[in-house]
Amino acid sequence: MIITLGVLPMLAQTMAQDNTKLFDAAKMKARVVKLSSDEFAGRGPGTAEGKAAAQYIADELKAMGVRPANNGSYFQNVKLFSIKTDPGTTLSISGGSGKDGAATYKFADEFVAFTGAQKADVSVDAELVFAGYGIKSDLYKWNDYKGSPDQYKGKVLMILVNDPPAPANEPDLFTGKALTYNGRWMYKFEEAARRGAAGVILVHTTESAGYGWNVVRTSNGSWRYDIAREPGDKSPYLDLKAWATEETSKKILGQAGLKLSDLQEKAKTRDFTPVKTGLRVKCNLKAETNTVDSPNVVGVIPGVDIKLSKEYVIYSAHWDHLGVGAPNAKGDKIYNGALDNASGCSAVLGIAEALMKIPKVNRPRRSILFLFPTAEEQGLLGAEYYAHHPLVPLDKTAGNVNIDGLNIFSKTSDFVALGAERSSLLDIVADVAKERSMTVSGDAHPEQGSFYRSDHFPFAKVGVPSISLKEGNKFIDKPADYGDKVFDEFNTKNYHQPSDEFGEWWNFESMIQECEIGLAIGLKIANTSVMPRFKTTDEFSAPDKVRMGGK
């Protein structure tokens, strides 16, 4: 149905009201319980159980009347290369301080590794260079890759996680406390690959990474995935992608008579130059490999405006988790991913269902596309694939609202929209908060770099204004430190662990509160006359201009 000017006042009134009544707590619970059940075995990408979970989401969309978004299909296939490193793999470090022998380090306990070569057998035998934070940034006038480019080719680089700390005389360096993309592990691997390095060993510390070694171990101890390279693809890659514990990193450098603490201190400044350690890294990485198909799930609700219906707002929530992996102390080896991200899938399904309950005449002007990406836990792969193979043109994509973990704890008087301050979406978010007598808070843990860690980020990289919706930190009728306590507990005990399971204590009032906020934000994006844009001062303004034809 085509909307007319005569119904616009009615539309505005409808969209400003509280629409929590459009959400069904019983259905939300049923969807979370189903998706996080052992039946789907942790929703591993490419597995039969993962495909069954994707099919369940598609069936839910179909049942509520949401149309398929890919030429009559609810699926956009993503071909993935999967690899599972042999746990018997060792890391051998030789040389330095006149020592003849080599020290050998144990997989999982002291390091983890996989390869970007998309092969089952990779051997690395290369010099080890300490490359500081591994950052080259014109924006921050920082270059850890000084000297001849050839000095990095074929080498293994030891690199620190996170951004360099901001000094007192330059408090905004790398945005201060907030983590930039330069600090993310994905960037470290990408930049080193562009330099022709053979491999990277990232130095893990709980403080710098934002999570303990247990998360690194479980995330890399089973199957890892990458988007399968097509024939003729000459994109750079690393033969060795590794993490080492802080203690292991100290031991490795100690073989060369170097101290990690000294090198960390030197790496804090712009005049840092890479350090040749005199050590040699050897790793014969053998692995099980496979090429698998794993779909993004996609559905659409057409807009009602004859012109703007050709533009889209995208809701996203990844359906995958870590599948089956190393057992915990209780012997549980299924990583159910209830909060991360069965809850987000349930939220986006709930938003789709809420929109279908709105009379057609009052539905949004722009079309709404629902995207449930695969392989988020493997490096945002499904969303990355979509961003480069979009089902609707990027210049017709008004914005992305991502949900990765709902507020299962208690209702709040505030909420967080990660990334809103980067674009004109900030005004929309502020309006939604004002209408609900709520406040918009900034990221309570900016050092975690959450903006770069979920499926809205690939959209931002191609210039689409994007946010990731999170609960605030002002919990109603709770102590002031309640938010920090529940965050720390989940992050240390349940994040990427088999213990991320559904509990009957989950608060569905707070979950619906967040869903209704997400619905309201998406509706305002869908009804605004002006396409949202990144601010000209933001790092994603350039790709935004590219997608909009230079405008």
Side-chain angles (χ1 to χ4, degrees), residues 290-310:
N290 199 6
T291 301
V292 299
D293 294 318
S294 190
N296 292 331
V297 184
V298 287
V300 66
I301 297 177
V304 296
D305 184 277
I306 192 168
K307 181 180 179 180
L308 292 183
S309 62
K310 296 179 177 63

Side-chain angles (χ1 to χ4, degrees), residues 403-463:
I403 300 179
D404 191 356
L406 272 182
N407 175 15
I408 64 173
F409 305 107
S410 184
K411 292 180 72 174
T412 61
S413 61
D414 66 333
F415 65 88
V416 175
L418 289 174
E421 73 284 355
R422 295 173 174 269
S423 72
S424 55
L425 292 181
L426 180 61
D427 294 333
I428 288 175
V429 168
D431 285 345
V432 169
K434 183 178 180 181
E435 290 168 359
R436 285 150 187 78
S437 299
M438 300 180 75
T439 57
V440 181
S441 295
D443 187 0
H445 303 277
E447 72 283 355
Q448 298 274 316
S450 297
F451 183 78
Y452 308 98
R453 292 173 57 180
S454 195
D455 285 324
H456 57 291
F457 179 51
F459 284 99
K461 285 200 295 183
V462 294

Side-chain angles (χ1 to χ4, degrees), residues 32-240:
V32 171
V33 169
K34 180 75 171 180
L35 283 167
S36 62
S37 67
D38 285 358
E39 174 186 351
F40 292 142
R43 307 187 305 281
T47 64
E49 295 86 356
K51 291 177 181 178
Q55 184 66 57
Y56 169 76
I57 293 171
D59 290 344
E60 290 291 288
L61 291 173
K62 183 177 181 180
M64 64 182 70
V66 176
R67 299 181 187 180
N70 189 16
N71 296 318
S73 174
Y74 287 101
F75 302 110
Q76 179 191 39
N77 188 53
V78 182
K79 192 171 290 294
L80 300 173
F81 182 86
S82 59
I83 181 169
K84 185 178 182 180
T85 304
D86 183 342
T89 298
T90 58
L91 187 70
S92 176
I93 309 293
S94 61
S97 302
K99 294 182 179 178
D100 297 326
T104 300
Y105 298 93
K106 186 178 178 182
F107 187 86
D109 291 340
E110 296 177 300
F111 82 101
V112 294
F114 57 104
T115 179
Q118 299 194 0
K119 295 190 295 185
D121 192 343
V122 176
S123 292
V124 172
D125 185 351
E127 296 176 34
L128 179 67
V129 176
F130 180 81
Y133 286 90
I135 294 173
K136 170 65 170 68
S137 171
D138 294 335
L139 178 63
Y140 296 109
K141 298 179 176 59
W142 193 280
N143 183 16
D144 287 324
Y145 289 98
K146 297 180 180 70
S148 169
D150 291 338
Q151 72 184 77
Y152 307 104
K153 290 181 179 179
K155 306 295 195 298
V156 172
L157 311 181
M158 179 174 279
I159 294 175
L160 302 173
V161 176
N162 215 320
D163 296 316
N169 64 340
E170 198 176 0
D172 294 328
L173 179 64
F174 290 100
T175 68
K177 185 180 179 182
L179 184 68
T180 72
Y181 187 56
N182 299 122
R184 293 283 292 135
W185 60 267
M186 289 186 291
Y187 168 83
K188 313 286 188 178
F189 287 152
E190 291 166 358
E191 189 64 37
R194 286 190 284 268
R195 305 284 164 171
V200 166
I201 300 174
L202 296 178
V203 179
H204 173 271
T205 71
T206 299
E207 180 182 9
S208 63
Y211 40 76
W213 180 252
N214 63 324
V215 174
V216 179
R217 179 172 181 159
T218 56
S219 299
N220 294 275
S222 187
W223 288 98
R224 295 288 306 178
Y225 299 80
D226 203 349
I227 297 172
R229 281 196 292 274
E230 298 176 356
D233 187 345
K234 296 182 179 180
S235 302
Y237 61 83
L238 297 173
D239 283 331
L240 181 68

Side-chain angles (χ1 to χ4, degrees), residues 3 7-16 361-365 527:
I3 195 165
V7 299
L8 281 176
M10 182 194 308
L11 177 66
Q13 183 179 4
T14 301
M15 293 311 109
V361 70
N362 287 336
R363 285 186 189 166
R365 301 167 71 190
N527 289 319

